[in-house]
Amino acid sequence: MFRENRKGKRPDGRSKILPPGPRGRLLTGNLLDYTRDHLGFLTQCAREHGDVVRLRFVNVRTYLLSHPDHIEYVLVGNNRNFIKSKGVRHSLGFLGDGLLTSEGSFWRRQRRLAQPAFHRERISVYGEVMVECAGRMISTWKGGETRRVHEDMARLTLDVVAKTLFGTLLTTEFEEVSAALTTITQRFTGRGGVLFHIPERIPTPVNLRFRRAIRQLEGIIYKIIEERRAEGEAGEDTGDLLSMLLKVRDEETGEGMSDKQLRDEVMTIFLAGHETTANALTWTWHLLARYPEVESRLLEELNKVLAGRPPAVEDLPRLRYADMVVKESMRLYPPAWAFGREALADCEIGGYHVPAGTQLVVSQWVTHRDPRYYEAPGEFRPERWAEGSVEKVPKYAYFPFGGGPRLCIGQSFAKMEAILLLATIAQQFRLRSASGERIAPQPSITLRTKNGMRMVLERR
Ligand code: HEM
């Protein structure tokens, strides 16, 4: 339970003032208001109560932080005082000790081992695969048809991750992996979201389906690892991520990754690396349909730089406007819309006391739409990222990939992928919202669309 605000300082000079926050109910605190409308509730809290807002979810003390300086303090400046939040630890337990969920020296070692596989030079070889995947998808599209664009983008980005991660080995299991991942993410798509759902050990139909999907995915991953190991040192270096992860050795100990570690990393990358980019693209199609003048400018650039040929990695520096479009789309609809940390020791943020054990939530949805940092924050204006304007945005007022040591390892991969897929598809098709389609964001692990975004395809 919270103590009432008491003004003043403690003997160690730290503040003992607790931040303001909305009234909660006796037992559940702010849980019901949050579950009713995650995005609306958090936004309202920040706008009404300020940069640090005190919330309570049943007995879990939580602060919402929306100021760029406070976000930087948690992710960068004082990052060692924070671990992943309880919500992440419980919900994403099935990822084991993968990069997203592990901590401390174990995480540091894994990050060091995995990092080379994500270096810009290394991933640039995947550009071709990305464009090929997009080309294959649009060869099945027909002008005039209506499609659920989120589904198409999710299959496309899974295809990219599967091909870049596993090479060609996954072809036969693609449908199985796709279905399993859909079942896994569905568990977090509901009122409770990532924060609250029925514990996995309780055999509800949703949980049983979830466990079955995990087992299925795990089986495929272990089979592929076994096949790759059997190929041994003599095995061909297929240049994909898995072959790199299998080869890496810790500089200090000389050890490679165990099968369980590989399983955790692969499962993590599957989950973190496809829905996020799929959502970024889905929202971009929606925004381009709503803002035809932006779409025209994008097309102009594509025609000038590519003149009708498929894009390549070498074109990226000249696809400046496409980059701004994706950047602005992730401001308005950030695929990772919020994430959390837990304070290990007492500290002070924005003049408020943060007791050890407090859960801290930072929300890209809330901060990316703050009118203090963005003029007309609800408008889709890629131009705000042009040289001369971008400098006005404070560093952590935009953080779609997080920040500090836990910054998304797939950031360069995702940016490159989003631009190449966008450029490939936009040259051939214009996407228009289907009539009567109600567009609403649905915050799950990532920020999805409620109805799958039905759109009509027009061939250019
Ligand atoms: C638009 C696409 C993407 C977005 C918006 C995104 C966002 C994020 C964010 C916000 C985090 C930090 C979470 C935290 O600090 O708690 C993160 C971490 C991570 N992401 Fe991404 N991500 C994207 C694409 C990818 C891709 C393509 C991959 C892999 C191929 C990937 C793999 C990871 C991993 C492994 C981590 C954990 C890193 C660590 O803690 O060391 N992500 N991502």
Side-chain angles (χ1 to χ4, degrees):
M1 276 292 169
F2 296 125
R3 277 172 289 146
E4 283 304 300
N5 278 1
R6 274 180 286 145
K7 293 204 183 300
K9 296 272 178 194
R10 298 188 314 184
D12 60 6
R14 283 220 182 110
S15 166
K16 53 183 183 185
I17 305 172
L18 296 177
R23 256 181 184 286
R25 290 160 216 248
L26 188 63
L27 291 177
T28 50
N30 309 106
L31 180 63
L32 295 181
D33 291 325
Y34 173 73
T35 52
R36 212 167 281 140
D37 175 9
H38 300 12
L39 305 173
F41 175 69
L42 293 181
T43 307
Q44 192 186 358
C45 283
R47 305 295 180 253
E48 285 179 6
H49 299 279
D51 288 326
V52 187
V53 182
R54 186 175 52 152
L55 302 167
R56 177 170 62 85
F57 299 122
V58 189
N59 60 349
V60 180
R61 180 203 299 266
T62 305
Y63 290 2
L64 169 68
L65 307 178
S66 323
H67 194 283
D69 292 349
H70 303 158
I71 296 167
E72 181 161 19
Y73 174 81
V74 171
L75 299 185
V76 190
N78 197 22
N79 72 80
R80 285 194 175 240
N81 188 38
F82 304 100
I83 55 171
K84 296 279 168 127
S85 62
K86 267 198 180 118
V88 166
R89 296 205 301 275
H90 292 166
S91 313
L92 302 184
F94 65 95
L95 296 177
D97 284 321
L99 274 176
L100 197 63
T101 35
S102 56
E103 298 286 352
S105 55
F106 186 85
W107 166 78
R108 252 188 302 282
R109 176 175 174 273
Q110 286 300 98
R111 178 95 187 194
R112 206 170 53 230
L113 288 176
Q115 194 75 56
F118 289 93
H119 273 161
R120 210 179 296 248
E121 313 83 70
R122 181 77 210 184
I123 60 166
S124 64
V125 302
Y126 302 137
E128 220 172 293
V129 180
M130 291 169 177
V131 173
E132 270 168 32
C133 290
R136 230 186 344 270
M137 182 194 76
I138 49 179
S139 70
T140 68
W141 279 11
K142 295 185 193 68
E145 69 174 328
T146 304
R147 302 194 64 98
R148 283 192 190 281
V149 171
H150 176 262
E151 225 167 83
D152 281 345
M153 294 302 120
R155 285 180 70 83
L156 173 58
T157 54
L158 179 61
D159 196 18
V160 168
V161 161
K163 293 232 161 41
T164 50
L165 188 61
F166 293 119
T168 50
L169 277 173
L170 199 66
T171 327
T172 44
E173 293 97 348
F174 185 84
E175 294 303 330
E176 231 180 307
V177 171
S178 170
L181 282 168
T182 305
T183 308
I184 291 168
T185 44
Q186 260 161 11
R187 179 161 186 255
F188 306 102
T189 311
R191 286 205 149 186
V194 183
L195 209 51
F196 291 95
H197 38 79
I198 301 170
E200 204 185 311
R201 60 179 186 283
I202 299 173
T204 61
V206 171
N207 280 347
L208 290 174
R209 273 200 300 276
F210 174 75
R211 278 195 251 162
R212 206 175 312 126
I214 300 276
R215 276 200 306 274
Q216 211 175 359
L217 196 54
E218 210 168 51
I220 296 172
I221 294 172
Y222 277 131
K223 195 177 110 216
I224 294 171
I225 295 172
E226 197 187 326
E227 282 167 8
R228 285 294 179 89
R229 286 223 197 267
E231 289 170 14
E233 294 290 317
E236 203 186 329
D237 180 0
T238 43
D240 56 56
L241 285 174
L242 180 62
S243 68
M244 290 198 66
L245 293 178
L246 276 161
K247 266 203 317 203
V248 288
R249 294 285 175 272
D250 190 302
E251 271 172 26
E252 285 159 26
T253 64
E255 272 176 46
M257 290 191 194
S258 68
D259 283 3
K260 169 67 169 64
Q261 274 167 288
L262 283 166
R263 173 263 183 220
D264 291 349
E265 296 307 357
V266 169
M267 188 87 103
T268 298
I269 290 164
F270 255 147
L271 199 84
H274 101 287
E275 259 252 334
T276 39
T277 319
N279 283 323
L281 284 164
T282 304
W283 287 113
T284 305
W285 295 121
H286 163 67
L287 289 163
L288 289 174
R290 269 196 61 203
Y291 290 80
E293 65 288 359
V294 174
E295 193 186 30
S296 301
R297 242 195 109 177
L298 174 67
L299 252 287
E300 214 174 283
E301 179 181 87
L302 297 179
N303 288 336
K304 204 166 120 210
V305 177
L306 305 171
R309 66 171 168 80
V313 173
E314 299 70 43
D315 298 313
L316 291 175
R318 291 168 66 214
L319 295 173
R320 276 288 302 133
Y321 195 68
D323 179 60
M324 281 153 56
V325 164
V326 170
K327 201 164 178 189
E328 176 69 348
S329 161
M330 287 199 292
R331 180 186 69 81
L332 276 173
Y333 294 101
W337 59 277
F339 58 87
R341 294 288 190 268
E342 177 177 318
L344 291 173
D346 286 13
C347 63
E348 190 178 310
I349 298 181
Y352 295 111
H353 178 50
V354 182
T358 304
Q359 306 298 307
L360 301 168
V361 175
V362 295
S363 167
Q364 288 93 334
W365 175 273
V366 173
T367 302
H368 287 186
R369 288 169 175 252
D370 191 322
R372 289 175 296 177
Y373 315 120
Y374 299 98
E375 198 188 303
E379 292 277 305
F380 180 52
R381 291 186 185 170
E383 286 71 15
R384 55 176 110 238
W385 301 107
E387 248 171 70
S389 306
V390 62
E391 298 77 9
K392 290 182 211 139
V393 180
K395 187 136 183 251
Y396 279 86
Y398 185 75
F399 59 111
F401 294 99
R406 306 297 303 241
L407 177 75
C408 173
I409 201 168
Q411 179 181 212
S412 304
F413 184 105
K415 283 186 187 167
M416 170 174 122
E417 181 184 7
I419 298 171
L420 290 177
L421 301 186
L422 177 69
T424 310
I425 301 167
Q427 283 189 105
Q428 297 202 29
F429 282 95
R430 165 176 292 153
L431 278 65
R432 293 274 159 263
S433 289
S435 66
E437 180 72 348
R438 259 197 65 238
I439 310 293
Q442 181 170 49
S444 172
I445 303 183
T446 58
L447 191 66
R448 298 170 146 213
T449 63
K450 222 168 226 158
N451 303 313
M453 195 73 83
R454 280 184 326 114
M455 297 187 91
V456 181
L457 309 181
E458 283 175 23
R459 195 175 275 285
R460 287 192 199 278

